[in-house]
Coordinates of all heavy atoms in Angstrom, one line a residue:
I1273 N -4.1 6.4 9.6 CA -4.0 7.2 8.4 C -3.0 6.6 7.4 O -3.3 6.5 6.2 CB -3.7 8.6 8.7 CG1 -4.8 9.3 9.5 CG2 -3.4 9.4 7.5 CD1 -4.5 10.6 10.2
D1282 N -2.2 2.0 -3.3 CA -2.3 0.7 -4.0 C -3.5 0.7 -5.0 O -3.4 0.2 -6.1 CB -2.5 -0.4 -3.0 CG -2.3 -1.8 -3.7 OD1 -1.2 -2.0 -4.2 OD2 -3.3 -2.5 -3.8
A1321 N -10.0 9.5 0.5 CA -8.8 10.2 0.0 C -8.8 10.2 -1.5 O -8.5 11.3 -2.1 CB -7.5 9.4 0.5
G1333 N -26.5 3.1 -3.5 CA -27.4 2.1 -4.1 C -26.8 0.7 -4.1 O -25.6 0.6 -3.7
N1335 N -25.7 -1.2 -6.4 CA -24.5 -1.4 -7.2 C -23.5 -0.2 -6.9 O -22.7 0.1 -7.7 CB -24.8 -1.4 -8.7 CG -25.6 -2.6 -9.0 OD1 -25.3 -3.7 -8.5 ND2 -26.6 -2.5 -9.9
G1337 N -20.6 2.2 -4.9 CA -19.2 2.0 -4.7 C -18.4 3.2 -5.4 O -19.0 4.2 -5.7
I1340 N -14.7 5.4 -11.0 CA -13.5 6.1 -11.4 C -14.0 7.3 -12.3 O -14.9 7.1 -13.2 CB -12.6 5.2 -12.2 CG1 -12.0 4.2 -11.2 CG2 -11.4 6.0 -12.9 CD1 -11.6 2.9 -11.9
R1360 N 6.8 32.7 -4.2 CA 6.4 34.0 -4.6 C 6.5 34.1 -6.1 O 7.6 34.1 -6.7 CB 7.4 35.1 -4.0 CG 7.2 35.1 -2.5 CD 7.8 36.4 -1.9 NE 7.7 36.3 -0.5 CZ 6.6 36.4 0.3 NH1 5.5 36.7 -0.3 NH2 6.7 36.3 1.6
L1385 N -6.6 23.2 -37.0 CA -7.8 24.0 -36.8 C -8.7 23.8 -38.0 O -8.4 24.2 -39.1 CB -7.5 25.4 -36.6 CG -6.7 25.8 -35.3 CD1 -5.9 27.1 -35.5 CD2 -7.6 25.9 -34.1
L1432 N 1.0 20.4 -22.8 CA 1.1 21.8 -23.3 C -0.3 22.5 -23.1 O -0.3 23.7 -22.6 CB 1.5 21.8 -24.7 CG 1.7 23.2 -25.4 CD1 2.8 24.0 -24.7 CD2 2.2 23.0 -26.9
G1433 N -1.3 21.8 -23.5 CA -2.7 22.4 -23.4 C -3.0 22.8 -21.9 O -3.5 23.8 -21.6
Q1450 N -4.1 48.0 -11.1 CA -4.1 49.1 -10.1 C -4.2 50.5 -10.8 O -4.7 51.4 -10.2 CB -2.8 49.1 -9.3 CG -2.3 47.8 -8.8 CD -3.2 47.2 -7.7 OE1 -3.8 47.9 -7.0 NE2 -3.2 45.9 -7.6
M1487 N 2.5 35.5 -32.6 CA 2.3 35.1 -31.2 C 3.4 35.7 -30.3 O 3.1 36.2 -29.2 CB 2.2 33.6 -31.1 CG 1.7 33.1 -29.7 SD 0.0 33.7 -29.3 CE -0.9 32.1 -29.8
C1492 N 4.8 39.6 -26.0 CA 5.7 40.6 -25.5 C 4.9 41.9 -25.3 O 5.0 42.6 -24.3 CB 6.8 40.9 -26.5 SG 8.0 39.6 -26.6
L1501 N -0.3 48.9 -17.1 CA -1.6 49.0 -16.3 C -1.4 48.6 -14.9 O -2.3 48.5 -14.1 CB -2.6 48.2 -17.0 CG -3.0 48.6 -18.4 CD1 -3.9 47.6 -19.1 CD2 -3.6 50.0 -18.4

Side-chain angles (χ1 to χ4, degrees):
I1273 291 165
D1282 190 64
N1335 294 320
I1340 294 154
R1360 297 200 186 282
L1385 294 155
L1432 181 59
Q1450 316 289 334
M1487 189 64 99
C1492 289
L1501 297 173

